Amino acid sequence: MEKNTSAKILLLEDDPGLIDGLSYALSRNGFHIDVASSVSEAFQRLNNSVYHLLILDITLPDGTGYEVCEKVRKSGSRVPILFLTALDEEVNIIRGLDGGGDDYMVKPFRLGELCSRIRALLRRSDGAPEISTVLRSGPVTADLASGTVSLNGKILELTPAEYRLLCLFLRHPGQLLTREAILDALWDGNGSFVDNNTLSVYIRRLREKIEPVPSSPEYLLTVRGFGYRWKEESK
């Protein structure tokens, strides 16, 4: 059994049929599952238990999964959060990721893909701390010891996924990174586990936070037909 398969997961979902199916399937895969069918119940469980990962539906009887995600992040927790929802419009993806979500899956989904994403998120959260060092490029500085990024000395508010994406580019300045390579590096699987639309959202939101003119990027450049490249600072 993999070391992450004993992880304790909170499932926030109000569809009884899906609750039964997911609880059974994830338990068979070695995960311990607690279920909340409302936002208020989710907060109660979070107050009384520690979880290794959260799976959040968005539309609930008394609120949204966004509220749960945002409150968890405001508390300082970096527990992996996966949104699992029927809402597939870009605006929903953006809100989920901006609120601190690490991944986003749309119903209907394949159980094998869900388990693979869960294990990838758990592997990253269980991994050894990054080496205490600093990555710099132009006005951008990433302090790997504290997990913070600053632009011209001002701390940026980045989601966990945006932070990982930026650090990936800063570690490979001047190199072409294909979309497939980025997906592999960030999500620990092949590119089919995260669609291109989600990656495009990450790229655009990161540009909005670091570029003087996001529509005409100076640092995070698009290499049409291939992927992206972080412009290497001139010596």
Side-chain angles (χ1 to χ4, degrees), residues 67-184:
E67 299 170 43
V68 177
C69 178
E70 289 164 4
K71 185 170 181 178
V72 167
R73 291 297 181 238
K74 285 179 181 178
S75 74
S77 172
R78 299 184 73 86
V79 61
I81 296 177
L82 168 67
F83 282 101
L84 186 63
T85 174
L87 302 179
D88 61 352
E89 294 184 0
E90 185 174 298
V91 63
N92 302 119
I93 299 174
I94 289 173
R95 183 172 178 185
L97 301 180
D98 276 358
D102 296 281
D103 204 351
Y104 194 107
M105 284 189 71
V106 176
K107 305 171 185 175
F109 56 89
R110 297 190 301 274
L111 180 61
E113 179 180 340
L114 174 62
C115 289
S116 293
R117 292 203 195 189
I118 289 173
R119 292 190 179 99
L121 288 169
L122 291 171
R123 280 195 294 270
R124 288 201 302 275
S125 66
D126 287 346
E130 297 191 70
I131 297 172
S132 179
T133 187
V134 173
L135 301 174
R136 291 190 179 90
S137 182
V140 179
T141 300
D143 187 329
L144 303 183
S146 63
T148 60
V149 173
S150 60
L151 178 68
N152 292 316
K154 182 180 180 180
I155 297 295
L156 294 179
E157 293 296 328
L158 300 181
T159 67
E162 290 168 349
Y163 171 78
R164 294 195 303 271
L165 180 59
L166 179 58
C167 287
L168 177 64
F169 283 114
L170 293 179
R171 288 190 179 98
H172 303 278
Q175 297 182 26
L176 167 64
L177 298 179
T178 66
R179 296 178 73 88
E180 292 77 13
I182 294 170
L183 294 174
D184 284 347

Side-chain angles (χ1 to χ4, degrees), residues 17 29 48 56 60 65 71 81 112 122 148 210:
N29 275 270
N48 295 319
L56 308 180
L60 285 307
K71 185 170 181 178
I81 296 177
L122 291 171
T148 60
I210 64 174

